């Protein structure tokens, strides 16, 4: 609880204390009337009844502590329980020796009962003072049993001793005024105890607060006992009631600390665990588990179509890297707040994954889904201010409908994910609804990934070689190795389908190594058959370059195949030069080995030209998208001319890809391109065909040029 709630709790119990005090004052002032109603003959019975209530309260405290300390072996609680058991035994003696009770030993006890009453009034505050100065520590079960047994044994021994010396006790009362002494010490001890408890009350300790109230009752009762002259006067009766209230308050203090507070703490802990399990800790929205269980509960009984909209926010990882986790959390909270304000009470927003939200709508209508997406899109139109940045966020939405798309929660969420993947390739902000072909394509992708791994092991992959023509000498000077996959059941699968799968799954590393080894082996055989060298170009992926032992693996392949590294050229795409600072050292090592480096698809990426000054490459490959504009677009021709001029100044070769017409060839020859590659020179062909038909390929190249 917070500080305000604790103060409210204390004021409530102070109010109760004042009410009880007012009632006792009322009884005190109207005691003659009460005395007349009860009658003198019944007064002793009333007093004994009050004392019996007091005994029940005392014993209840002891029993409560006895059982609670089985699970909380705290030395202070154990000594407190032993103290109340001792007081309980003394209260029993006080009752059975009280005036008006049967005299079982046929002896006149006189003030014997008063002695034990006074001992209780002294022992309670004294014991609590001693316990308050104890150093809290954990104890064993054996120590617990020993303390309780020792307290009961000592108390019984003291009681037996007192019964044995009844006459001496009377003498002490008569000669030394023992009653006044014990009353004075009791009041003194109670005042000291109150002062000790005030400190803990200021610290808002509830147990100490209850003890303070209980001690206050006890001290007020003791003052009334001191003023009492008879067991039948108002001071004594009201004092007894005050003492009953004291022990009831102390019982509640023990009950609160040993039962109520642990239960509330446990309930609060369960609530926190519930919140941790079912709510996102950053934005406070229900999470994926909440959604799944809600769907499990509501979908089977739904009478209308239900729909979930899975929303994914763009650029969150980039923002996290740039601004940090704290700013990202602020951004997510702002997004959640805007999405929430864009929805109605019937539309529930939930957090799903690190950068995803889900909107659950219980009654599907096409127009309603469109309205929701439009409101969400508009909510993100104003930029979000994080630190001193204004961020404009975009999102994609996948929609799945129950029971049209799936009839169980897991399937519905999966359908929403498939629709979201489709939405990522469309205009941001516009929803994509799930269709059956999405799942078919997804399963096909998974099947291809599974089959691709087997294809690498079973050597289902093979290479085709596309010749590159030297424009100046008109000779086939090099070839590019292009991987192909002949699937046993699906036939030939194009590279643009299986290469991305290999990249995503990590298969590109073993596959790339196998392709390089195959290409070096085959071209080594070609060189031996034709007795002349030819340059081999092989594509690399970024994952291969970041392989820990990449250089060693390349060296190992060259040694095994005995392929001359001076005739090997490794090609990287321009987009990979974005990681230039990390790649320069790796590519420099390859250059030292004699391997050539080419930048493929030049002009289509986003690399900075500043990197080209330090980047260790010796060939640029102009992408076919620029070559296709030759003779069609003056701007396209200008780009090609600019690349060639830059390459000349950098002293690197240029290969133009995708040459298909005489016009393209003539233009490239005119502007000084070094090599060309494309269907105009020759299509990619398998190795055996390249070996057997090499002369006809060269003859054809001469004839068309």
């Amino acid at each position: 609880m917070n500080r305000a709630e604790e103060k409210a709790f204390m004021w409530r119990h102070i109010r109760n204390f004042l009410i009880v005090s007012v009632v006792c004052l009322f009884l005190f002032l109207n005691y003659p009337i009460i005395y007349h109603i009860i009658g003198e003959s019944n007064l002793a019975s009333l007093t004994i009844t009050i004392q019996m209530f007091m005994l029940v309260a005392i014993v209840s405290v002891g029993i409560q502590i006895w059982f609670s300390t089985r699970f909380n072996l705290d030395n202070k609680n154990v000594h407190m329980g032993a103290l109340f058991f001792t007081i309980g035994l003394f209260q029993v003696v006080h009752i059975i020796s009280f005036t008006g009770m049967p005299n079982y030993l046929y002896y006149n006890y006189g003030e014997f009962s008063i002695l034990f009453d006074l001992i209780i009034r002294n022992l309670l505050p004294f014991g609590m003072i001693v316990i308050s100065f104890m150093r809290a520590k954990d104890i064993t079960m054996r120590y617990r049993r020993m303390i309780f047994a020792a307290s009961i044994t000592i108390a019984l021994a003291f009681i037996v001793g007192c019964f044995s010396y009844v006459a001496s006790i009377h003498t002490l009362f008569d000669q030394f005024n023992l009653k006044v002494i014990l009353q004075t010490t009791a009041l003194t001890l109670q005042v000291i105890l109150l002062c000790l408890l005030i400190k803990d009350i200021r610290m808002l300790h509830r147990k100490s607060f209850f003890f303070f109230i209980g001690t206050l009752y006890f001290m007020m009762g003791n003052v009334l006992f001191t003023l009492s002259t008879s067991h039948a006067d108002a001071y004594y009766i009201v004092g007894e009631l005050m003492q009953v209230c004291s022990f009831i308050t102390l019982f509640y203090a023990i009950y609160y600390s040993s039962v109520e507070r642990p239960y509330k703490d446990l309930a609060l802990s369960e609530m926190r665990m519930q919140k941790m399990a079912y709510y996102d800790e950053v934005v406070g929205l229900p999470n994926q588990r909440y959604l799944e269980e809600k769907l499990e509960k509501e979908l089977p009984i739904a009478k209308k179509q239900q729909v979930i909209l899975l929303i994914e926010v763009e650029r969150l990882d980039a923002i996290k890297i740039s601004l940090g986790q704290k700013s990202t959390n602020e951004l997510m909270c702002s997004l959640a707040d805007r999405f929430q304000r864009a929805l109605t009470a019937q539309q529930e927003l939930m957090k799903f994954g690190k950068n995803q939200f889900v909107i659950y709508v219980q009654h599907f209508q096409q127009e309603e889904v469109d309205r929701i997406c439009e409101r969400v899109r508009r909510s993100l139109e104003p930029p979000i201010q994080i630190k001193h940045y204004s961020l404009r966020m975009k999102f994609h939405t996948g929609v799945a409908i129950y029971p049209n798309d799936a009839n169980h929660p897991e399937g519905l969420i999966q359908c929403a994910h498939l629709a979201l993947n489709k939405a990522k390739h469309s205009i941001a902000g516009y929803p994509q609804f799930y269709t059956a072909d999405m799942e078919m394509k997804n399963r096909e992708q998974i099947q291809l990934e599974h089959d691709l791994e087997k294809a690498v092991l079973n050597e289902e992959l093979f290479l085709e070689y596309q010749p590159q023509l030297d424009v100046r000498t008109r000779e086939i000077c090099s070839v590019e190795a292009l991987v192909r996959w002949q699937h046993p059941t699906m036939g030939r699968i194009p590279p643009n389908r299986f290469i991305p799968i290999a990249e995503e799954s990590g298969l590109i590393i073993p596959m790339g190594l196998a392709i390089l080894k195959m290409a070096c082996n085959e071209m080594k055989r070609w060189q031996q058959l034709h007795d002349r060298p030819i340059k081999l170009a092989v594509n690399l992926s970024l994952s291969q370059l970041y392989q820990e032992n990449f250089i060693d693996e390349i060296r190992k392949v060259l040694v095994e195949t005995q392929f001359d590294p001076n005739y090997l050229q490794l090609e990287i795409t321009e987009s990979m030069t974005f990681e230039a600072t990390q790649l320069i050292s790796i590519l420099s090592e390859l250059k030292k080995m004699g391997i050539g480096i080419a930048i493929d698809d030049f002009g289509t990426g986003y690399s900075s030209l500043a990197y080209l000054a330090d980047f260790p490459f010796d060939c640029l490959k102009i992408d076919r998208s620029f070559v296709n504009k030759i003779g069609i677009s003056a701007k396209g021709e200008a780009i090609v001319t600019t690349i060639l001029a830059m390459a000349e100044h950098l002293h690197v070769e240029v290969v133009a890809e995708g040459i298909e017409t005489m016009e393209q060839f003539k233009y490239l020859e005119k502007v000084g391109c070094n090599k060309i590659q494309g269907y105009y020179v020759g299509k990619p062909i398998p190795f055996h065909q390249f070996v057997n038909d090499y002369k006809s390929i060269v003859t054809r190249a001469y004839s068309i040029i």
Side-chain angles (χ1 to χ4, degrees):
M1 289 188 180
N2 56 38
R3 196 175 183 88
E5 290 174 331
E6 289 287 354
K7 285 184 176 180
F9 169 85
M10 289 185 176
W11 280 114
R12 185 168 66 251
H13 284 277
I14 290 173
R15 181 195 62 195
N16 294 341
F17 169 77
L18 294 174
I19 291 171
V20 171
S21 300
V22 169
V23 171
C24 289
L25 179 62
F26 175 81
L27 294 175
F28 181 82
L29 296 175
N30 294 276
Y31 183 72
I33 300 173
I34 296 170
Y35 181 83
H36 178 73
I37 294 171
I38 295 174
E40 184 177 355
S41 59
N42 296 321
L43 198 59
S45 299
L46 175 63
T47 305
I48 293 170
T49 302
I50 294 173
Q51 291 176 353
M52 291 296 291
F53 275 113
M54 193 186 308
L55 175 62
V56 170
I58 295 168
V59 174
S60 297
V61 173
I63 293 173
Q64 180 72 40
I65 295 175
W66 166 256
F67 284 111
S68 65
T69 50
R70 291 177 59 193
F71 309 100
N72 181 22
L73 290 170
D74 176 79
N75 62 324
K76 288 192 172 187
N77 284 338
V78 168
H79 284 91
M80 184 73 71
L83 173 65
F84 275 90
F85 268 123
T86 303
I87 292 173
L89 289 173
F90 290 166
Q91 179 67 11
V92 171
V93 175
H94 169 62
I95 292 172
I96 64 175
S97 60
F98 190 75
T99 302
M101 290 292 288
N103 190 344
Y104 297 104
L105 299 179
Y106 304 101
Y107 190 86
N108 182 19
Y109 297 117
E111 296 179 335
F112 190 78
S113 177
I114 298 174
L115 172 66
F116 279 90
D117 191 20
L118 292 169
I119 290 173
I120 291 170
R121 296 185 212 167
N122 281 270
L123 183 59
L124 178 63
F126 177 76
M128 291 176 66
I129 290 170
V130 172
I131 292 169
S132 68
F133 282 104
M134 283 185 178
R135 187 176 179 181
K137 62 180 181 179
D138 293 333
I139 57 173
T140 62
M141 290 292 288
R142 184 171 177 270
Y143 182 87
R144 168 178 168 268
R145 289 192 295 268
M146 183 182 70
I147 291 297
F148 275 95
S151 65
I152 293 172
T153 302
I154 293 171
L156 290 173
F158 180 80
I159 291 168
V160 171
C162 289
F163 271 109
S164 302
Y165 295 97
V166 174
S168 300
I169 291 172
H170 290 171
T171 302
L172 289 172
F173 270 91
D174 294 336
Q175 294 184 0
F176 298 99
N177 205 0
L178 185 61
K179 180 179 180 181
V180 175
I181 294 172
L182 291 176
Q183 286 176 337
T184 304
T185 55
L187 282 170
T188 304
L189 290 170
Q190 289 159 13
V191 170
I192 295 171
L193 178 61
L194 283 173
C195 294
L196 291 173
L197 292 171
I198 286 174
K199 178 183 177 182
D200 283 340
I201 289 174
R202 289 177 179 174
M203 296 171 65
L204 297 178
H205 288 170
R206 285 194 178 187
K207 184 178 178 181
S208 298
F209 172 76
F210 283 126
F211 273 37
F212 177 83
I213 296 295
T215 304
L216 206 57
Y217 278 129
F218 204 73
M219 187 174 70
M220 291 168 63
N222 198 46
V223 170
L224 292 172
F225 282 133
T226 304
L227 299 174
S228 174
T229 56
S230 167
H231 291 164
D233 63 13
Y235 294 102
Y236 189 87
I237 297 297
V238 176
E240 288 279 278
L241 292 173
M242 285 285 188
Q243 233 177 1
V244 171
C245 293
S246 171
F247 284 111
I248 291 175
T249 304
L250 295 176
F251 168 76
Y252 187 71
I254 300 301
Y255 166 80
Y256 172 79
S257 62
S258 61
V259 177
E260 185 175 328
R261 187 180 66 185
Y263 174 79
K264 287 183 177 179
D265 290 345
L266 179 62
L268 185 61
S269 177
E270 289 179 351
M271 288 176 61
R272 288 173 180 167
M273 291 176 65
Q274 180 89 353
K275 189 168 184 179
M276 289 174 62
Y278 291 99
Y279 288 82
D280 183 82
E281 62 179 352
V282 175
V283 300
L285 291 173
N287 60 14
Q288 180 176 347
R289 180 178 295 179
Y290 177 94
L291 172 65
E292 291 171 349
E293 294 193 8
K294 186 179 183 68
L295 294 177
E296 286 279 359
K297 180 180 178 182
E298 295 188 1
L299 291 186
I301 60 174
K303 296 180 180 180
K304 294 185 178 181
Q305 290 179 319
Q306 316 282 295
V307 61
I308 60 172
L309 290 77
L310 182 59
I311 298 174
E312 182 170 306
V313 183
E314 287 186 350
R315 299 190 301 123
L316 215 59
D317 286 334
I319 292 170
K320 180 179 178 180
I321 292 170
S322 301
L323 302 182
Q325 184 64 59
K326 185 177 180 181
S327 296
T328 307
N329 291 346
E330 291 179 15
L331 174 61
M332 293 304 296
C333 291
S334 297
L335 287 170
D337 181 60
R338 291 195 181 190
F339 289 164
Q340 192 72 67
R341 284 189 277 115
L343 303 178
T344 64
Q346 291 76 31
Q347 299 155 1
E348 190 168 3
L349 179 67
M350 306 171 202
K351 183 73 166 54
F352 197 95
K354 64 177 182 179
N355 61 341
Q356 295 176 341
F357 294 86
V358 165
I359 299 173
Y360 176 46
V361 184
Q362 295 188 1
H363 304 300
F364 168 69
Q365 291 180 347
Q366 176 73 49
E367 300 80 7
E368 182 65 16
V369 171
D370 293 337
R371 280 195 296 269
I372 290 172
C373 291
E374 179 62 20
R375 288 198 298 266
V376 170
R377 188 183 64 80
R378 288 181 180 176
S379 72
L380 294 185
E381 284 182 351
I384 299 175
Q385 298 294 327
I386 301 293
K387 292 184 176 179
H388 55 279
Y389 296 98
S390 296
L391 303 176
R392 293 187 179 274
M393 308 303 297
K394 294 182 178 180
F395 68 96
H396 301 283
T397 307
V399 183
I401 305 166
Y402 171 88
N404 300 27
D405 300 333
N407 55 10
H408 56 91
E410 184 180 358
L412 193 65
I413 294 171
Q414 183 182 0
C415 291
H417 272 293
L418 292 170
L420 177 63
N421 289 336
K422 177 75 172 178
K424 290 178 183 178
H425 299 92
S426 62
I427 301 173
Y430 290 90
Q432 283 288 335
F433 288 79
Y434 168 81
T435 56
D437 65 309
M438 293 179 184
E439 188 168 2
M440 290 176 61
K441 290 180 180 178
N442 187 64
R443 287 181 179 175
E444 191 176 286
Q445 290 288 96
I446 295 173
Q447 184 65 43
L448 283 177
E449 181 180 337
H450 172 74
D451 293 346
L452 184 58
E453 186 169 7
K454 292 194 298 183
V456 175
L457 298 174
N458 299 338
E459 299 182 353
E460 294 174 14
L461 301 177
F462 66 95
L463 295 176
E464 290 185 342
Y465 297 90
Q466 186 171 31
Q468 295 176 348
L469 183 76
D470 189 311
V471 176
R472 185 176 58 84
T473 64
R474 303 295 202 269
E475 292 183 351
I476 303 296
C477 57
S478 54
V479 292
E480 181 179 3
L482 303 169
V483 65
R484 301 291 185 258
W485 181 13
Q486 185 66 35
H487 194 280
T489 58
M490 300 172 65
R492 179 170 290 201
I493 299 175
N496 60 357
R497 285 190 62 191
F498 69 85
I499 293 295
I501 295 174
E503 290 275 8
E504 292 176 7
S505 64
L507 285 171
I508 194 67
I509 293 175
M511 191 177 85
L513 194 62
I515 290 168
L516 178 63
K517 189 173 183 179
M518 187 190 309
C520 289
N521 270 322
E522 291 181 346
M523 293 316 298
K524 180 67 177 178
R525 283 178 54 200
W526 189 93
Q527 290 174 359
Q528 291 171 346
L529 290 172
H530 290 272
D531 195 26
R532 65 180 291 268
I534 191 168
K535 202 159 193 175
L536 170 66
V538 181
N539 290 287
L540 287 181
S541 73
L542 189 62
S543 301
Q544 287 177 273
L545 288 171
Y546 279 134
Q547 189 181 355
E548 186 177 357
N549 56 346
F550 174 69
I551 299 295
D552 294 334
E553 291 290 348
I554 295 292
R555 191 177 285 113
K556 183 179 176 181
V557 168
L558 293 174
V559 170
E560 287 181 3
T561 59
Q562 297 183 347
F563 192 80
D564 188 346
N566 292 298
Y567 291 101
L568 177 62
Q569 179 175 279
L570 298 178
E571 297 184 357
I572 63 172
T573 60
E574 186 192 7
S575 58
M576 290 163 61
T577 62
F578 182 74
E579 307 284 345
T581 53
Q582 287 83 4
L583 296 182
I584 286 175
S585 60
I586 299 172
L587 298 178
S588 297
E589 285 291 319
L590 294 174
K591 289 282 290 180
K592 289 178 184 178
M593 294 166 58
I595 298 172
I597 306 297
I599 299 178
D600 198 7
D601 302 332
F602 187 77
T604 61
Y606 302 95
S607 62
S608 170
L609 294 178
Y611 286 131
L612 297 180
D614 300 318
F615 210 73
F617 70 100
D618 36 33
C619 180
L620 288 177
K621 298 188 74 174
I622 302 176
D623 187 70
R624 68 178 66 244
S625 61
F626 299 117
V627 172
N628 290 339
K629 294 177 181 178
I630 293 175
I632 299 174
S633 169
K635 290 183 179 179
E637 292 178 357
I639 292 174
V640 172
T641 306
T642 302
I643 293 173
L644 288 167
M646 181 180 63
E648 183 180 357
H649 287 292
L650 294 172
H651 305 291
V652 296
E653 285 188 332
V654 177
V655 178
E657 296 181 298
I659 308 302
E660 296 182 357
T661 66
M662 173 67 78
E663 184 182 4
Q664 292 171 346
F665 170 74
K666 290 296 185 183
Y667 179 82
L668 291 167
E669 183 182 30
K670 183 180 69 174
V671 294
C673 183
N674 305 109
K675 299 177 183 179
I676 61 171
Q677 175 184 344
Y679 281 14
Y680 189 71
V681 178
K683 295 180 179 181
I685 56 176
F687 175 71
H688 66 86
Q689 187 177 345
F690 185 67
V691 171
N692 298 332
D693 301 343
Y694 177 68
K695 289 183 179 180
S696 62
I697 294 171
V698 173
T699 302
R700 179 178 177 277
Y702 273 110
S703 66
I704 63 175
I705 294 172

